[in-house]
Amino acid sequence: MSTTQPVTGQPADRTRGESLLEVRGLQKHFPLRQGIIFQRQIGAVRAVDGIDFSVGPGESLGLVGESGCGKSTTGRLITRLLEPTGGSVVFDGEDITHRPPGRMREARSNLQMIFQDPYSSLNPRHTVGTIIETPMRLNGVNPPQGHKKRAQELLETVGLNPEHYNRYPNEFSGGQRQRIGIARALALRPKLIVADEPVSALDVSIQAQVVNLLQDLQREFGIAFVLIAHDLAVVRHFSERVAVMYLGKIVETADRESLYTRPRHPYTHALLSAVPDADPDATERRERIRLAGDVPSPIDPPSGCRFRTRCWKAQDKCATGEPPLVRVEGSPAGHLTACHFPEEPTVAARAQDIVLDPALG
């Protein structure tokens, strides 16, 4: 297995002028407090702990990783639903990192979010028409055809009947509710949409319809997407570039073809090996990796490389120094990996499966 050293001096991402969204050193630490009266801080949950990435106009970036790795928190930091602890978020050339809520209205007209749960993200007391019209009214957007006509057009755009304008969310299925949420996100014609697990709460039969709808909307309107998901098949189908997160850090990022067929970080190898094989009778077997234990606590993450406690390639160096996110020798431009001892660029079966958990042997 390769132990090639990083090729330094490579650009960490696209140039600043080409980026619609640029995130640098982004952090979110949730304080842990003790006591009833004085509420003394005794620690912090380091949910997102210094990540860098950018998204170009009309581009789609997928964020993947295990539950609890910080994907959804990242989405809420981007849209400023959460206040960052550190780092910066530059959207459309403007720094919105600590912009007061009252001054976020202009940015939010171009920066929208689709939430994970289509049941709790829609107000049950409002009609579908009110839900879609509200962003336009709050931002002073007055379409020539009027708010009602615009809302009905958006319902038709997402594949719903315009006559459903006066119905309430409880009258719709989960897939239809998610389409209503998409219509609401489209109401202001945004430049970027953060989609947080947009299909995870839906039936499998509906997931493909919603993903294809988002793809069609991206092509038609030129919208950039940050797709947060744990389903690697959905991300591969939708996103042009993919970033892999582990315990609040981005450990690998690349275009989808390079990442899915030539991953370099051991954690990415483990994630891809967990994807069910669609053709069990295929002549070329995929690698099998079974990790030990659970993800460490973000309250007290491991020193150095955070994956080292579950990694089969970990050495002393991994505990003392955090690996930078750079291009390693043999990887194409734009394929960045944070690993001192990167894996070979292949997902083919190994001579022997890696089983770190004795219970799974």
Side-chain angles (χ1 to χ4, degrees), residues 39-338:
Q39 291 285 299
R40 180 171 59 91
Q41 183 172 339
I42 59 173
V45 178
R46 299 161 70 173
V48 177
D49 204 20
I51 62 174
D52 302 334
F53 65 87
S54 64
V55 182
E59 186 186 31
S60 58
L61 172 72
L63 273 179
V64 301
E66 292 175 270
S67 296
C69 70
K71 305 185 302 295
S72 293
T73 302
T74 299
R76 282 161 172 73
L77 291 171
I78 294 170
T79 52
R80 282 297 316 283
L81 297 178
L82 289 175
E83 181 76 12
T85 303
S88 65
V89 178
V90 177
F91 175 68
D92 203 15
E94 298 289 334
D95 190 338
I96 63 171
T97 313
H98 300 292
R99 183 175 292 183
R103 296 182 54 212
M104 277 297 297
R105 182 169 296 176
E106 182 180 352
R108 288 218 173 96
S109 65
N110 289 312
L111 178 60
Q112 291 289 300
M113 189 164 188
I114 299 171
F115 295 93
Q116 178 176 356
D117 187 359
Y119 293 90
S120 63
S121 61
L122 303 179
N123 192 325
R125 293 185 175 89
H126 291 171
T127 64
V128 169
T130 301
I131 289 171
I132 298 175
E133 288 179 5
T134 298
M136 293 185 280
R137 296 185 186 279
L138 290 177
N139 287 273
V141 176
N142 298 299
Q145 69 271 42
H147 291 120
K148 179 177 180 179
K149 183 64 175 177
R150 173 65 178 151
Q152 290 177 324
E153 289 177 354
L154 288 168
L155 286 172
E156 193 169 14
T157 298
V158 298
L160 295 176
N161 193 327
E163 296 177 3
H164 293 166
Y165 174 88
N166 289 315
R167 292 190 180 182
Y168 288 86
N170 68 298
E171 300 179 60
F172 296 90
S173 67
Q176 290 173 320
R177 293 188 195 199
Q178 196 62 295
R179 289 171 183 262
I180 294 168
I182 295 171
R184 176 178 59 185
L186 291 173
L188 299 176
R189 297 188 181 276
K191 296 180 180 180
L192 173 70
I193 291 179
V194 177
D196 183 12
E197 301 273 12
V199 298
S200 64
L202 306 179
D203 293 338
V204 175
S205 59
I206 306 299
Q207 289 182 3
Q209 296 178 22
V210 174
V211 171
N212 289 335
L213 170 63
L214 293 176
Q215 250 183 345
D216 292 340
L217 294 173
Q218 183 189 23
R219 295 191 192 102
E220 182 176 354
F221 300 112
I223 301 171
F225 273 86
V226 175
L227 178 68
I228 299 168
H230 63 267
D231 189 328
L232 296 175
V234 170
V235 173
R236 184 171 190 173
H237 178 71
F238 185 84
S239 300
E240 302 163 40
R241 286 194 303 128
V242 182
V244 180
M245 287 192 70
Y246 183 81
L247 204 59
K249 294 278 190 179
I250 290 180
V251 297
E252 187 164 12
T253 180
D255 67 89
R256 61 183 167 197
E257 183 63 24
S258 179
L259 187 129
Y260 279 81
T261 60
R262 299 182 296 278
R264 303 306 304 268
H265 198 281
Y267 178 61
T268 310
H269 277 260
L271 277 184
L272 294 176
S273 76
V275 177
D277 196 339
D279 184 9
D281 298 324
T283 56
E284 184 175 333
R285 289 182 57 244
R286 295 173 58 89
E287 61 183 345
R288 294 178 69 249
I289 300 171
R290 298 292 182 267
L291 297 178
D294 298 321
V295 180
S297 170
I299 298 173
D300 186 23
S303 62
C305 175
R306 297 190 173 186
F307 185 61
R308 66 178 176 81
T309 57
R310 306 170 74 195
C311 182
W312 57 95
K313 301 194 72 176
Q315 299 183 28
D316 292 343
K317 181 180 180 180
C318 302
T320 58
E322 181 179 333
L325 186 66
V326 294
R327 184 175 74 86
V328 298
E329 187 177 348
S331 295
H335 189 150
L336 311 177
T337 309

